[in-house]
Amino acid sequence: MLTIKNQIAGAILQALPEGTDLAADAIVEMLEYPPDLNMGDLAFPCFKLSRALRKAPPAIAAMIGEKFTCPAVESASVAGGYLNFKLSKEHLVNDRLSAVLADPNFGGSDMGKGKMVVLDYSSPNICKPFHIGHLGTTVIGHSLKKLHEFVGYSCYGINYLGDWGTQFGKLITAYRLWGSEEEVTKGGIDYLVDIYVRFHREAEEDPTLNDRAREEFHKLELGDEENLALWRRFKEISLEEYERTYKQLDITFDSYLGESFYTDKMPAEVQKLRDKELLKIDDGASIVDLSEYNLPPCLILKRDGSTLYPTRDIAAAVYRKETYDFEKCIYVTSAQQSLHFAQWFKVVEMMQYPWYDQLVHIPYGTISVAGVKLSTRHGNMLLLRDVFAAAIEKVDSIMEEKNPDLKDRAETAEAVGVGAVVFHYLSSTRTKDISFILEDALSFEGNSGPYAQYTYARCCSILEKAGSAGKITGAAITDEEKELVKTLSQFPERVNLALREYEPSVITRYVLDLCAAFNRFYHNCQILNAKEEDVVSQRVAMVSATRQVLGKALELICLRHPEKI
Ligand code: ARG
């Protein structure tokens, strides 16, 4: 389906002298939205063509303007080196609005059809509660999954649990010394954290505890049944806790295969590294020298022969390629792990796996905590469940006042409260370091998640009152209606931009643009009370289209959209 930009690019190409070396796609990329609507709805800058056409940019703009015809454009005017286009209102309604209404999947495509994308995200280290730092990988990862699905990819979401390593020796030791099943059942993950912290405290006084922990982990590695049973129980307890958070976020995974799954898959990769003569012994440890690539060495085996984080990631990537035959395998983690990924991606390349360039690391900025400390119990660790609980409570108290009889109130408060936090987080550019301020996340004024969800509910309520989905009648439209339809028509290009840059915040910003356009329309145009019937019906159709696109956009950034708030 052709977007407005595609349509205009085609017409520009037609107007250019034959033989001009420019593709329609390149023109699409060059088209800009002028800062001021009075200049036009879209603009084509002619500066880059100056050399090839041996003409000054304004002359090129004039030349294109003279020949240019396109049903999407009412008029084209030259301003400096730009050709500015004013879009045709009739075309926007007859072509674009109808395109939205005709396709429930408007904005998506089948670009990725038949291709598999594996996404590794969230991936917490078990026995630790979910804190605010995990929000990034979880919602960015899930949003990228939704975006890829929306354009036709098959996606496989993996929660690569950090469920292996020496810390389990510590936890088993702590449990044997101080713990009981009764307390684990009662206290859940918090109890595990407590005894883990106690282990560290006491090990400072009594270092033999560390030896004992190493022994317990070693036994675990050798498959000791009792230790395995404890480890399984700890994992179960952790998952119960995580599942609660995932459920609030409405996030599910296709697999929870964590680090432990790859224990028996590492030796083959280590052997392969040896066979290819890529392993070097450095102070007893086995490493891959990456100095040629200006990277520190990648550690494969410790001195005692035990494996490391990169070793497991390499084995996991090989397994995933063999099992899912991905076109792309995306890893979403904090930028603090960028070096780790650069190193082992390089090792995979050196191992001559032909798919090395299908591995993609998507880093995000670190999240630090400022403002209110919610939990004294966990020091300054801000737990996601506490943040969500505070948000839900705030929403619920507002509802208590404004809409106490709402059906499904608890569910709605959860969708709006959790949504507020997620929306706030996904408003920032992914790579920016952010200082999380709870009051800001819970401020529902202005450009917030609740505002967007409320706009969605407003559409639903209008449609309910209208009792029909409306239709395109060809009635003349106002400037507000034009802006709304124009914004709706931009959804596909925003989706593509978000995908290209792996950037959910592109969608968050689009949601705000769409809400702004809709609310201007809502406040300035009578919808159900308009005088003429054909105007009412067409405006109702615009509300339908807004509900459809806004709902989809909210889903893409992991927000639910209740029909009533
Ligand atoms: N468990 C790790 C952590 O919490 C993140 C794992 C990311 N995924 C990966 N394949 N390394 O830091």
Side-chain angles (χ1 to χ4, degrees):
M1 189 212 313
L2 289 180
T3 64
I4 288 185
K5 279 190 175 177
N6 291 139
Q7 296 174 15
I8 293 180
I12 290 176
L13 204 57
Q14 291 286 312
L16 282 166
E18 230 169 276
T20 310
D21 183 21
L22 199 59
D25 282 350
I27 300 179
V28 167
E29 293 303 316
M30 288 164 76
L31 287 169
E32 292 175 8
Y33 292 100
D36 179 357
L37 277 184
N38 291 324
M39 296 161 85
D41 298 300
L42 272 165
F44 182 61
C46 301
F47 309 95
K48 280 195 197 144
L49 294 176
S50 206
R51 227 158 114 210
L53 297 178
R54 297 208 196 128
K55 266 196 173 94
I60 298 173
M63 175 183 78
I64 300 172
E66 240 160 66
K67 280 212 202 153
F68 181 90
T69 65
C70 173
V73 173
E74 183 183 289
S75 63
S77 58
V78 180
Y82 288 91
L83 186 60
N84 290 336
F85 305 105
K86 198 169 154 199
L87 296 178
S88 144
K89 286 179 173 175
E90 291 72 38
H91 184 83
L92 274 169
V93 171
N94 295 332
D95 187 82
R96 293 296 83 195
L97 182 60
S98 69
V100 178
L101 293 169
D103 179 8
N105 219 32
F106 179 83
S109 66
D110 55 8
M111 185 175 95
K113 212 171 156 203
K115 296 180 197 156
M116 169 60 93
V117 171
V118 167
L119 298 105
D120 173 319
Y121 64 103
S122 202
S123 311
N125 296 329
I126 65 165
C127 302
K128 298 196 179 142
F130 227 74
H131 58 81
I132 192 77
H134 290 116
L135 184 62
T137 168
T138 307
V139 296
I140 294 171
H142 201 64
S143 172
L144 293 179
K145 183 174 182 222
K146 297 243 161 178
L147 278 160
H148 279 88
E149 281 169 348
F150 195 36
V151 297
Y153 288 96
S154 303
C155 291
Y156 200 77
I158 301 181
N159 194 329
Y160 181 65
L161 292 176
D163 60 0
W164 206 241
T166 44
Q167 68 270 32
F168 296 102
K170 294 178 184 168
L171 203 56
I172 290 171
T173 307
Y175 177 84
R176 290 246 156 84
L177 285 169
W178 312 301
S180 68
E181 171 54 35
E182 204 189 331
E183 278 166 306
V184 169
T185 311
K186 205 170 79 202
I189 206 159
D190 292 339
Y191 178 72
L192 296 180
V193 174
D194 285 347
I195 59 172
Y196 188 68
V197 170
R198 180 165 171 195
F199 177 91
H200 279 272
R201 212 172 40 231
E202 301 214 2
E204 265 174 39
E205 306 283 308
D206 176 8
T208 62
L209 281 178
N210 284 320
D211 300 330
R212 202 167 148 184
R214 255 191 299 278
E215 237 166 75
E216 296 291 4
F217 180 59
H218 192 59
K219 270 165 67 186
L220 183 66
E221 277 188 302
L222 293 177
D224 176 85
E225 260 319 315
E226 277 176 34
N227 278 10
L228 270 177
L230 277 181
W231 170 79
R232 271 190 221 107
R233 179 77 183 121
F234 296 157
K235 193 163 162 173
E236 195 177 71
I237 292 280
S238 308
L239 276 175
E240 274 169 24
E241 161 89 7
Y242 303 152
E243 287 289 357
R244 268 193 289 274
T245 303
Y246 293 138
K247 196 158 169 284
Q248 287 183 310
L249 284 163
D250 212 6
I251 287 180
T252 54
F253 294 91
D254 301 302
S255 155
Y256 278 97
L257 287 186
E259 297 191 32
S260 64
F261 179 74
Y262 298 97
T263 320
D264 63 354
K265 301 184 176 48
M266 284 182 283
E269 298 315 309
V270 175
Q271 192 52 46
K272 183 154 187 185
L273 282 163
R274 240 182 239 122
D275 293 346
K276 293 201 171 272
E277 293 178 9
L278 292 169
L279 278 194
K280 273 198 185 139
I281 305 299
D282 184 59
D283 198 19
S286 302
I287 61 154
V288 178
D289 181 8
L290 299 174
S291 55
E292 205 184 314
Y293 309 99
N294 275 326
L295 290 167
C298 184
L299 259 73
I300 301 294
L301 297 174
K302 282 197 232 167
R303 267 156 80 154
D304 63 5
S306 55
T307 53
L308 288 132
Y309 188 40
T311 330
R312 272 191 286 279
D313 257 327
I314 294 168
V318 174
Y319 175 85
R320 289 172 186 174
K321 182 66 195 181
E322 280 168 4
T323 313
Y324 313 111
D325 193 21
F326 55 73
E327 167 95 4
K328 240 182 343 188
C329 183
I330 297 172
Y331 299 83
V332 186
T333 78
S334 143
Q336 283 162 333
Q337 297 196 28
S338 292
L339 180 60
H340 161 74
F341 283 96
Q343 287 173 302
W344 76 261
F345 284 2
K346 191 44 101 181
V347 174
V348 170
E349 182 181 347
M350 291 163 85
M351 292 170 88
Q352 291 167 329
Y353 281 114
W355 41 267
Y356 73 90
D357 58 352
Q358 297 173 343
L359 304 173
V360 187
H361 179 228
I362 299 301
Y364 59 88
T366 45
I367 308 179
S368 58
V369 180
V372 195
K373 228 193 272 171
L374 269 180
S375 166
T376 43
R377 192 146 159 229
H378 300 282
N380 66 351
M381 193 153 63
L382 190 50
L383 299 187
L384 211 50
R385 64 162 189 245
D386 293 341
V387 174
F388 285 170
I392 294 167
E393 199 185 304
K394 180 165 175 188
V395 173
D396 196 60
S397 69
I398 298 174
M399 284 178 168
E400 169 80 51
E401 198 185 300
K402 298 204 167 148
N403 199 356
D405 302 325
L406 182 72
K407 231 176 89 224
D408 309 320
R409 186 167 129 190
E411 210 183 310
T412 307
E414 183 183 270
V416 179
V418 171
V421 178
V422 173
F423 193 92
H424 173 71
Y425 177 72
L426 289 180
S427 299
S428 306
T429 308
R430 164 168 65 74
T431 47
K432 211 175 108 194
D433 289 335
I434 61 168
S435 158
F436 187 86
I437 300 173
L438 186 66
E439 283 104 330
D440 290 357
L442 301 193
S443 155
F444 304 157
E445 302 305 314
N447 291 337
S448 64
Y451 156 73
Q453 286 167 320
Y454 190 74
T455 304
Y456 181 87
R458 174 172 277 164
C459 292
C460 295
S461 131
I462 296 168
L463 291 167
E464 197 182 357
K465 279 191 210 128
S468 88
K471 61 174 195 291
I472 294 171
T473 57
I477 65 171
T478 63
D479 287 346
E480 288 85 2
E481 292 172 275
K482 175 182 169 183
E483 275 310 301
L484 175 59
V485 178
K486 203 173 97 184
T487 310
L488 286 167
S489 76
Q490 287 165 0
F491 190 39
E493 71 191 68
R494 299 287 192 101
V495 168
N496 290 336
L497 181 63
L499 274 163
R500 195 160 62 189
E501 301 189 342
Y502 297 95
E503 187 60 85
S505 69
V506 167
I507 302 297
T508 316
R509 254 171 273 133
Y510 176 70
V511 164
L512 292 176
D513 289 347
L514 183 55
C515 289
F518 178 79
N519 285 314
R520 264 196 304 272
F521 156 74
Y522 175 79
H523 289 295
N524 292 309
C525 308
Q526 302 260 21
I527 302 176
L528 300 177
N529 296 330
K531 278 193 216 75
E532 282 107 36
E533 222 165 277
D534 59 340
V535 173
V536 174
S537 186
Q538 188 160 281
R539 287 182 179 169
V540 169
M542 289 179 191
V543 179
S544 293
T546 306
R547 174 170 74 168
Q548 176 192 320
V549 171
L550 182 55
K552 193 69 219 178
L554 287 170
E555 285 165 26
L556 290 177
I557 50 170
C558 314
L559 263 77
R560 279 179 267 169
H561 41 75
E563 307 228 322
K564 288 198 167 78
I565 292 186

